[in-house]
Amino acid sequence: MPKKSSAEVDIFGLLTDTAEKKKKKRREELLKPLGVKEFFVEGSIDIDKKTCHGVECKICIEKCPTNALYWKAGEVGIVKDLCVYCGACVLCCMVDDCIKVRRKRETGEEERFSKPRDVAILIQNINAKRRLERIQEVFPTPEEYCRRYRKKKKPMHKRD
Ligand code: SF4
Ligand code: SF4
């Protein structure tokens, strides 16, 4: 099989870049009027149509803050460009593993969840992390405390 030239690889890279930029712009345009902020750089959402209770339920459609979910021809449809991967639909879904969400943070950290319990634990962990960060700000470690508040020694000639 002939090897790809570097020019071919670059063209492929450029096309991917352009498609990504277009997608980002489209999402921004759709989300801006809703006043919804994006916290994740990337993600995906899938609904298992076989296990979904559909017409008897539709709770996820009601709870989605961006209207990314809608009812179409007897099943839940997804406007993927409107999904911000918040997890509200998973949290309220009555069927475990019916909605699967994957999301990536700016730090590269990836989170996956498909059960209300997963979302609850994730929220708890995020809140605990934030609390710890705030506590560390207010109550620094002894070393940090000394560094922040240690009085500067007066030079010998200025001492009383
Ligand atoms: S993850 Fe959030 S934004 Fe995406 S479909 Fe579910 S509720 Fe809507
Ligand atoms: S909440 Fe779950 S079971 Fe109910 S309609 Fe949405 S995906 Fe289906």
Side-chain angles (χ1 to χ4, degrees):
M1 197 175 154
K3 276 189 180 174
K4 276 184 183 175
S5 71
S6 58
E8 277 175 295
V9 175
D10 283 345
I11 287 164
F12 179 72
L14 281 172
L15 286 173
T16 313
D17 269 7
T18 314
E20 280 300 313
K21 275 182 194 155
K22 272 190 186 166
K23 188 181 166 201
K24 201 164 177 271
K25 195 162 176 271
R26 196 169 60 235
R27 283 177 68 84
E28 277 169 12
E29 282 167 4
L30 285 169
L31 292 170
K32 202 175 172 191
L34 300 170
V36 179
K37 200 177 165 208
E38 283 228 74
F39 288 98
F40 306 97
V41 289
E42 194 212 308
S44 64
I45 174 164
D46 286 296
I47 298 181
D48 183 350
K49 306 282 160 53
K50 292 196 281 301
T51 56
C52 171
H53 284 223
V55 72
E56 295 163 27
C57 175
K58 295 188 191 172
I59 299 173
C60 54
I61 298 175
E62 271 172 45
K63 299 295 174 191
C64 175
T66 61
N67 295 324
L69 303 176
Y70 65 103
W71 189 245
K72 66 149 191 187
E75 60 180 36
V76 180
I78 313 169
V79 183
K80 295 205 175 184
D81 278 335
L82 275 176
C83 178
V84 289
Y85 321 114
C86 67
C89 52
V90 180
L91 191 61
C92 68
C93 183
M94 62 165 86
V95 185
D96 279 358
D97 301 321
C98 181
I99 309 177
K100 291 187 174 73
V101 173
R102 176 191 65 81
R103 64 192 193 188
K104 198 171 174 183
R105 293 180 181 271
E106 267 179 359
T107 54
E109 204 180 336
E110 201 171 274
E111 293 160 356
R112 288 170 190 263
F113 43 87
S114 56
K115 298 177 181 65
R117 191 172 165 271
D118 297 343
V119 184
I121 291 171
L122 191 63
I123 293 170
Q124 207 175 21
N125 289 344
I126 292 168
N127 287 342
K129 200 174 157 197
R130 284 192 191 138
R131 269 201 303 273
L132 185 65
E133 281 165 4
R134 279 204 296 272
I135 287 169
Q136 281 169 344
E137 266 173 41
V138 181
F139 302 107
T141 60
E143 297 78 18
E144 176 61 15
Y145 186 90
C146 292
R147 196 183 63 74
R148 277 194 214 171
Y149 303 110
R150 188 170 42 207
K151 280 186 184 164
K152 280 196 179 130
K153 276 185 187 167
K154 279 186 183 176
M156 287 296 278
H157 65 278
K158 288 193 176 173
R159 287 188 192 170
D160 300 329

